[in-house]
Amino acid sequence: MAILKDKNEEGTCVEFTFKYHIPGEREGCQLNFKYFKSDKKIYDLDFGWTNITVKNYIEATSQFPVKSLSGSYLSFEKDLYELNWEEVDSGTLYKLNFYGSQQDFCLFATKEAIRQFGVDLQADWDQAPLH
């Protein structure tokens, strides 16, 4: 499970879990997403993403910050369709904003933590049950 913890607020994090993965560029996967604020679950959402979206999201996080994205990753998906960021402390801390049809929240994380989150997301995708 890929978890990204807030640097400033203990108990605040996002958590992605792959429920299954259908191989193929034009296929997709089912995920579960949770957002906790101060150890309280705010969002618990099952949703689907295409494999193209997952691949791009992994690239945007594991190679964070991707210069060509200019501070924002957008997809055509309904759920969690936007991740944007702004540098808060000279490249050591970033404010991440997550947006979707039912989600709107932010957290603060270091570049290293965001990159590790992307690496963990890739590993989870690779190990997700096939459907």
Side-chain angles (χ1 to χ4, degrees):
M1 152 181 359
I3 298 172
L4 181 59
K5 296 180 179 182
D6 190 291
K7 174 85 171 150
N8 295 338
E9 188 175 342
E10 187 151 339
T12 297
C13 67
V14 295
E15 179 181 297
F16 283 79
T17 307
F18 284 90
K19 297 179 94 173
Y20 65 80
H21 171 208
I22 303 171
E25 189 169 306
R26 295 195 167 126
E27 299 297 340
C29 53
Q30 185 78 18
L31 297 101
N32 176 263
F33 164 81
K34 291 182 177 85
Y35 170 64
F36 296 89
K37 184 159 182 71
S38 301
D39 291 320
K40 181 181 176 193
K41 187 174 15 175
I42 306 298
Y43 296 113
D44 187 349
L45 174 70
D46 288 332
F47 66 99
W49 268 357
T50 64
N51 289 337
I52 293 169
T53 298
V54 174
K55 181 181 170 198
N56 291 338
Y57 201 85
I58 288 170
E59 183 179 322
T61 53
S62 65
Q63 298 175 25
F64 187 86
V66 178
K67 302 280 188 228
S68 64
L69 295 178
S70 301
S72 186
Y73 167 77
L74 295 166
S75 78
F76 54 85
E77 306 286 0
K78 176 181 129 185
D79 297 299
L80 293 173
Y81 58 79
E82 182 177 358
L83 171 65
N84 69 45
W85 55 90
E86 58 187 270
E87 191 175 311
V88 176
D89 188 18
S90 302
T92 60
L93 189 65
Y94 291 84
K95 179 181 179 187
L96 302 175
N97 297 294
F98 296 79
Y99 299 105
S101 64
Q102 300 173 34
Q103 310 80 33
D104 183 4
F105 60 92
C106 72
L107 61 80
F108 293 86
T110 64
K111 175 172 61 176
E112 293 77 20
I114 299 165
R115 287 181 175 180
Q116 185 59 54
F117 170 75
V119 168
D120 293 344
L121 196 59
Q122 176 70 61
D124 290 353
W125 190 35
D126 291 342
Q127 297 171 11
L130 298 179
H131 188 68

